[in-house]
Amino acid sequence: MTIMQKSLWLIVSLGNLSAGYFFMLSQSAVSFALLITTLLYSLIGIYDVFYSRHSLNRLYPVAAYLRYFLESYRVEIQQYFIANDTEERPFNREQRTLVYQRAKNVRDTIAFGTQRNLVEDNYLSLWHSLSPTHIKESAKRILIGGDSCKQPYSASYLNISAMSFGSLSTNAIEALNLGAKKAGCYHNTGEGAASPYHLKHGGDIVWQLGTGLFGCRDEQGRFNAASFEKTAKLPQVKMIEIKLSQGAKPGHGGVLPKAKITDEIARIRHISKDHDCISPAVNPECTSPKDLLAFIEQLRRLSGGKPVGFKLCIGNPAEFLSICKAMLETGITPDFITVDGAEGGTGAAPVEFTNRLGLICLEGISIVNSALVGVGLRHKIKIIASGKTASSFDLLAKIAAGADVVNAARTMMMAIGCIQSRHCNTNLCPTGVATQDPARAKAIDVESKSDRVKNFHNNTLASFFELVGSMGLDDPAKLVPQMIKRRSPYGMQMSMGSLVAALSENALIDPSSNENELDESWQHWWQASSAEQFYVDDFFILKAPEFHQTRAH
């Protein structure tokens, strides 16, 4: 027997006898409490030993519950008592504190120098200028809308990324949207449709159409044009985004069990309560590159000419080049492309998908930007970056890598109270942000939390503009990847780059007109890609840049 089993039988026998004898002698509250304690311990212990399904309970009766209790608070114990300011994932204490300080509009400086190891491998930094300047007012917003767009949208450099009603509470959605209105940025609805809570306060909306087409679907889950047109033409809806995949779980759909489908969610998503709601891994209207572009053209027409784009997490670069080929063949281009990073994710996803699939945001942006340059379409399409943005440097790095504007999700959640407890998938969010429990959601005061969204947005942008100015630039559009420095394993700084060389203008469609030789990676991906289908075999062997071959002139 284990020591706890021996202890149990000792309490069952001698413990209860002693407690009972003591109670009969004194009849006091203390003796009564002791007797109740030994009896409860005995009952629980006997149940554990003979009936529990858990081996720990059978071997360590009663005491095993202490282990379960401590395990339930492991994240909080690690967060508050063990990890230092720069250790935690996905956001460390330094990053979270910065978000909270800027959201509360309090001092966000640090004292006594950096806690970061400035010479660690891959550490990113900037070279400043001895001639700092100020950003032009005309350069502080970005106009999104291509040649076919009749209602272009002037966007902030920092915006609220996709988070659905259903994953976030009603009050959280309201606080974010009212915050977007106060800050002058847009609020992406996420794939759960444009709910009344997204529309209530009048903040600018980017309506995301996920693979389930929630909010504009028929009984069979296919696209309903009339339903889409009704919502898309609302003045508050500024842009439309088709979601092909997301960083947290690229290639994975989702299931909302019918037990969780309330009348309200069924009404908003245009789904039935009679069976599980399935979000497929593939958008049924976008099964090929040409289908995607035809759908974009249809949505642009139905919305009255508003900007329409798509969101994806980059995997095999050749598959993105398939979309580029389709653009060239059809003459249809999106107004924007949102690049989600594999480090992103506000909700629940399978561990393997979260940990192992997709390119990180900076890599994805680099591929998309370079590919669009290489096919001569970059000037027609804006790039939106989405994935782990806590500071103005995070914002700057994504712009430098090739993005035009940036979306942030988890840090916007932190601005309204999220403490990174990581209970988003349990409905037990301790701050009322990621839950459908009305009692928990009421903890969020919409008015005050919306001010925090505005403060975080404005303070982060102010720091971003100052940081760009410290580099001697008067326009963030002048940022290029070479301005971000990465610490090499040899200890020296080198310009941030991709595994493959960036393309020059029209390099893929007219290689002979370029002075730079075309990297073999781009050659292979371009030849393998097809405008007729997304899938491309991943047979190309990636090598270190110094071993790449280039085509001779």
Side-chain angles (χ1 to χ4, degrees):
M1 288 193 294
T2 66
I3 186 66
M4 294 311 301
Q5 288 173 328
K6 293 176 181 178
S7 299
L8 171 65
W9 298 124
L10 188 63
I11 292 172
V12 168
S13 55
L14 295 178
N16 284 323
L17 285 173
S18 300
Y21 179 72
F22 181 49
F23 176 70
M24 287 188 294
L25 286 178
S26 65
Q27 298 287 313
S28 66
V30 173
S31 62
F32 178 74
L34 179 62
L35 178 60
I36 293 298
T37 301
T38 57
L39 287 173
L40 282 174
Y41 191 99
S42 300
L43 289 171
I44 295 171
I46 290 171
Y47 173 83
D48 284 349
V49 169
F50 292 106
Y51 301 104
S52 178
R53 293 174 299 170
H54 304 292
S55 57
L56 273 179
N57 291 71
R58 287 176 174 265
L59 292 172
Y60 307 96
V62 184
Y65 294 105
L66 178 62
R67 185 252 189 190
Y68 300 142
F69 173 78
L70 293 175
E71 185 180 44
S72 69
Y73 287 97
R74 186 191 65 81
V75 172
E76 288 80 2
I77 293 171
Q78 171 79 14
Q79 183 179 111
Y80 293 113
F81 300 109
I82 298 175
N84 67 34
D85 285 352
T86 60
E87 278 184 338
E88 292 176 84
R89 298 288 185 274
F91 291 88
N92 60 43
R93 169 63 60 181
E94 182 183 76
Q95 292 170 319
R96 296 200 311 277
T97 298
L98 179 64
V99 174
Y100 299 145
Q101 288 170 332
R102 287 182 172 166
K104 295 175 183 177
N105 224 10
V106 299
R107 184 178 62 239
D108 61 359
T109 56
I110 60 173
F112 218 64
T114 181
Q115 296 187 60
R116 300 299 185 98
N117 177 10
L118 302 185
V119 293
E120 71 177 357
D121 290 358
N122 294 317
Y123 188 84
L124 300 182
S125 60
L126 303 171
W127 285 359
H128 67 282
S129 170
L130 291 177
S131 180
T133 185
H134 296 286
I135 304 302
K136 299 179 295 186
E137 287 299 318
S138 60
K140 290 187 176 181
R141 296 188 72 87
I142 296 293
L143 192 66
I144 301 177
D147 297 339
S148 301
C149 177
K150 297 178 181 178
Q151 300 184 54
Y153 176 69
S154 176
S156 168
Y157 271 100
L158 179 63
N159 303 278
I160 301 174
S161 195
M163 292 176 280
S164 305
F165 167 63
S167 60
L168 265 59
S169 67
T170 56
N171 284 31
I173 294 294
E174 285 191 39
L176 289 170
N177 190 257
L178 182 55
K181 182 178 182 180
K182 293 177 178 179
C185 66
Y186 65 69
H187 178 198
N188 192 304
T189 65
E191 66 177 312
S195 73
Y197 309 104
H198 288 98
L199 302 170
K200 181 177 179 179
H201 297 285
D204 290 348
I205 286 294
V206 175
W207 182 17
Q208 184 185 92
L209 304 189
T211 57
L213 298 172
F214 299 127
C216 58
R217 53 186 269 145
D218 59 22
E219 294 296 327
Q220 289 71 46
R222 298 305 298 265
F223 180 64
N224 184 318
S227 179
F228 169 81
E229 185 174 8
K230 181 180 178 181
T231 301
K233 286 190 174 179
L234 292 173
Q236 190 177 339
V237 176
K238 302 299 182 183
M239 300 196 295
I240 315 295
E241 179 181 84
I242 303 165
K243 192 187 90 168
L244 301 181
S245 62
Q246 67 185 87
K249 47 183 176 181
H252 183 75
V255 178
L256 183 63
K258 66 178 181 179
K260 291 187 176 182
I261 303 176
T262 64
D263 290 334
E264 183 177 41
I265 289 176
R267 184 175 64 255
I268 291 170
R269 295 195 176 198
H270 297 180
I271 58 176
S272 170
K273 291 182 62 180
D274 299 332
H275 49 77
D276 294 344
C277 176
I278 308 297
S279 297
V282 177
N283 191 310
E285 306 299 321
C286 308
T287 56
S288 73
K290 287 186 176 179
D291 286 344
L292 167 63
L293 297 178
F295 193 44
I296 288 173
E297 186 79 345
Q298 181 184 11
L299 298 188
R300 189 183 285 131
R301 175 178 52 80
L302 290 171
S303 67
K306 292 181 179 180
V308 180
F310 62 88
K311 172 183 178 177
L312 80 169
C313 177
I314 298 296
N316 186 349
E319 296 192 355
F320 181 74
L321 288 177
S322 294
I323 301 176
C324 293
K325 276 189 174 178
M327 293 181 199
L328 294 174
E329 291 186 19
T330 63
I332 302 171
T333 55
D335 297 291
F336 64 90
I337 298 172
T338 303
V339 181
D340 204 5
E343 71 274 27
T346 55
V351 172
E352 297 86 352
F353 282 72
T354 296
N355 289 347
R356 303 294 178 182
L357 285 185
L359 296 183
I360 64 171
C361 193
L362 292 180
E363 292 172 335
I365 296 167
S366 178
I367 291 291
V368 170
N369 180 65
S370 193
L372 292 177
V373 170
V375 296
L377 295 175
R378 180 63 178 91
H379 64 287
K380 294 185 176 183
I381 303 169
K382 293 295 188 290
I383 297 176
I384 302 173
S386 176
K388 197 175 181 181
T389 300
S391 69
S392 57
F393 177 79
D394 298 334
L395 176 59
L396 187 150
K398 293 176 175 63
I399 301 295
D404 293 289
V405 300
V406 173
N407 290 348
R410 287 171 291 180
T411 46
M412 292 295 181
M413 291 170 64
M414 291 177 190
I416 60 173
C418 170
I419 58 172
Q420 194 174 276
S421 66
R422 293 189 287 165
H423 292 310
C424 310
N425 58 338
T426 66
N427 210 33
L428 298 175
C429 173
T431 59
V433 176
T435 180
Q436 288 304 295
D437 183 342
R440 292 174 181 265
K442 287 180 181 177
I444 298 177
D445 181 82
V446 173
E447 186 65 36
S448 65
K449 295 301 185 183
S450 67
D451 284 334
R452 292 194 178 190
V453 172
K454 177 197 69 175
N455 292 339
F456 172 67
H457 172 274
N458 292 350
N459 289 329
T460 302
L461 271 189
S463 177
F464 165 68
F465 291 136
E466 185 176 8
L467 203 57
V468 174
S470 73
M471 301 168 68
L473 306 177
D474 62 0
D475 187 342
K478 294 180 180 179
L479 290 165
V480 293
Q482 297 91 305
M483 294 176 180
I484 308 295
K485 310 304 179 188
R486 185 188 298 274
R487 184 72 63 177
S488 75
Y490 309 106
M492 298 297 292
Q493 287 186 330
M494 56 193 298
S495 294
M496 181 181 74
S498 177
L499 184 64
V500 293
L503 294 172
S504 54
E505 190 75 20
N506 297 318
L508 291 174
I509 56 177
D510 187 15
S512 61
S513 66
N514 293 278
E515 296 179 1
N516 298 326
E517 299 175 332
L518 194 60
D519 186 280
E520 64 172 331
S521 303
W522 288 112
Q523 293 179 45
H524 172 85
W525 291 332
W526 184 246
Q527 291 166 4
S529 63
S530 167
E532 306 300 327
Q533 66 177 33
F534 287 116
Y535 179 76
V536 177
D537 288 325
D538 186 15
F539 291 152
F540 180 70
I541 300 175
L542 282 176
K543 302 180 289 292
E546 57 265 32
F547 296 110
H548 282 201
Q549 299 175 5
T550 53
R551 183 165 57 199
H553 289 298

